[in-house]
Structure formats: C-alpha cells, structure tokens
Amino acid sequence: MVKAADRAKNPARSSVWLETRTSRSGGGPAGLDRDRIVAAAIRMLDEEGLAKLSMRKLAAELNVTAMSLYWYVDTKDDIIEYAVDTVYGEIDLAAVDAAGDWRDRMRVLALDYRRMLVRHPWMSPCAGYYLNIGPHAIAVGGKIQETIRDTGLPMDRQPSAMSAVFQFVYGYGTIQSQFESRAAQAGMSQNEFYGESIKAFRDDPQFMEALEPMTDLLDERASHGSVTEIWDRDFDYALDVLVAGIEVMVARESAAGTGT
C-alpha cells in the first residue's frame, strides 16, 4: 500500500499512474470493482465537491465497508486521479477527428473541454494539482498537440499557442462552473442570481461613479434574457479571436521566414 506520507516525500513523482500496486491476497467484495468506485466518486464530487469526499462516505454510498475500497485503491488521491482521467474521456475525440481542418478541430476540442469543466466543477483544481497522465488525458493532450501542429506555426511557437487557447478555455470553464455552483447554492437560477447581483451593486450609491465607464457594457449584458446565451456568445467570439490571432501569427512567421 502506498501511504500518503510516502507520496509527500516526492510529490513531483506521486501519481497512481506511476506506481506499481501491490497485489492483494484473496478477493475483494462481490460486485465491487474500481470502475464502480470511480463512478460513485464522480457522482459524489459533482453533487458535493472535493471537500466532502471521503473514503467513509464513498463506502457508505456503495454499501460496503471503508476497508473494502482498499482492495482497489491505496488512497483517496488514487480515486480522484482515476476520476479526473475518467471525465477527460468525456471529450469526444472521434468528433474532433471528423471536424476537418485545424480551426474546426480546435473549436470542437475547446467546446468539449469547456463543457466537461462546467459539468464537473471539482475538475478545475484537480487538473492543476494532479499529474494528468492517465490514458484519456494523454489522448486529449495528443489531439490538442496535433491540432496546434497543423496550424503551421513553428515548433517553438506551438506551446504558446496551445496555452493561449486552452488556458483560456480552462479559465472560462472554471469561472462558468463556479458561477453555476454559486447560483445553485443560493437556490436561484443563473439568470436570477446574475440579475440580482448586478442590481445589488448598480443600485448602491458608492459604486455609481466607479461604474460610470462600464454603463454601456452592463446595459448590453442586461439586454440578454439568458445568462447561458451570454456564456455561449462570449465564448464563441473569444475563440474566434484566438483562431484569427493564430492565423495572423502563422502569416507573420511565414513572412519572416521568406524575408518579405
């Protein structure tokens, strides 16, 4: 068994995907396997978040003892890493392949990645905390790299373009997921929560002067009846801006290479 203390000694190399697990003697509880454990963990994470996931609560959800889980995983971190990789598998790579040129593939990847982050609000902090080296995460990373490579940017520029697009998607999806969670916690729809929040500070005299330069923008946003429409519209246009920026940089690099 891999102890948490042992992992703390070398966190840069700590991952369920890098460790050889010691076989348990005998057999585990009937009807229980790792896939079932991870599926239950994902349901709990979606409903309650990272802070409330525990081996005890997960075992109760599965109607087994907490010790039963240790036939299949060594620590709670193992379960979270498996959960992270499982939700990466929700990104439809077949749809990416069918999309056509790099622009279309990039849009499919970006939209699916954003949707995954919004469906699973716990995913954002985990993606930055754990090594994303499970089979699904690596497959997604490979498709992202292929897409960026096909833009025509030179190799030393490709990581920057990848960061520009997919760090944007990560940030956008994270903010959207947290906003949706906050509205749900308040017992309100997104539209209700957004409308009440904007009204609260626009009606407060202490903010009026500071908000004066933003009046047109706030009015424009208020003209939309749906927060979902705003999320989708702004995401689509921002992604178009990034794609256009890559096209400009490809042309610039090409001109520099020919000396024109």
Side-chain angles (χ1 to χ4, degrees):
M1 180 178 291
V2 178
K3 297 180 180 179
D6 295 331
R7 291 185 171 188
K9 294 176 183 177
N10 192 359
R13 294 188 59 81
S14 294
S15 171
V16 69
W17 305 107
L18 295 174
E19 295 159 355
T20 302
R21 196 169 184 276
T22 304
S23 300
R24 272 48 166 178
S25 59
L32 189 65
D33 57 28
R34 194 180 77 193
D35 288 345
R36 188 177 167 211
I37 292 169
V38 173
I42 291 172
R43 289 195 302 272
M44 292 184 67
L45 287 164
D46 288 347
E47 293 171 3
E48 302 183 14
L50 276 169
K52 294 187 178 180
L53 180 69
S54 70
M55 298 295 264
R56 178 185 59 80
K57 291 182 70 174
L58 182 56
E61 174 74 13
L62 291 163
N63 199 28
V64 299
T65 66
M67 287 305 298
S68 300
L69 302 179
Y70 292 104
W71 287 95
Y72 305 97
V73 293
D74 289 325
T75 69
K76 186 175 77 171
D77 280 341
D78 287 3
I79 296 173
I80 295 173
E81 280 199 84
Y82 287 130
V84 166
D85 196 64
T86 297
V87 300
Y88 267 116
E90 296 175 5
I91 296 176
D92 189 348
L93 299 185
V96 176
D97 289 337
D101 70 7
W102 67 265
R103 299 162 187 81
D104 294 332
R105 281 181 280 148
M106 183 175 291
R107 289 187 176 95
V108 172
L109 277 164
L111 186 56
D112 254 16
Y113 187 20
R114 172 193 161 207
R115 287 171 174 163
M116 179 263 285
L117 291 168
V118 172
R119 276 194 301 269
H120 308 290
W122 54 272
M123 178 63 177
S124 295
C126 290
Y129 187 83
Y130 295 96
L131 294 176
N132 299 311
I133 55 174
H136 290 118
I138 287 179
V140 171
K143 290 299 179 186
I144 290 173
Q145 291 176 343
E146 288 175 13
T147 301
I148 296 294
R149 180 196 63 206
D150 289 349
T151 63
L153 285 168
M155 179 58 67
D156 63 336
R157 302 300 189 190
Q158 291 176 24
S160 299
M162 191 182 310
S163 294
V165 175
F166 291 97
Q167 291 299 325
F168 152 72
V169 177
Y170 174 87
Y172 200 98
T174 297
I175 292 172
Q176 183 180 354
S177 70
Q178 296 308 306
F179 181 87
E180 290 189 9
S181 295
R182 185 71 181 93
Q185 289 167 9
M188 304 170 75
S189 70
Q190 288 190 71
N191 294 337
E192 291 168 338
F193 189 80
Y194 179 77
E196 288 296 317
S197 299
I198 297 297
K199 189 175 186 301
F201 68 80
R202 291 195 76 175
D203 289 349
D204 191 321
Q206 68 176 319
F207 288 105
M208 287 183 177
E209 184 177 351
L211 291 174
E212 185 62 32
M214 300 172 59
T215 298
D216 290 346
L217 177 61
L218 291 171
D219 287 344
E220 194 282 328
R221 283 187 169 275
S223 68
H224 296 274
S226 167
V227 173
T228 299
E229 180 183 340
I230 295 174
W231 285 124
D232 291 344
R233 182 201 66 171
D234 290 355
F235 181 84
D236 291 344
Y237 190 78
L239 188 57
D240 284 345
V241 169
L242 289 168
V243 169
I246 290 174
E247 292 173 332
V248 168
M249 297 309 293
V250 169
R252 184 179 296 177
E253 295 283 349
S254 177
T258 59
T260 57

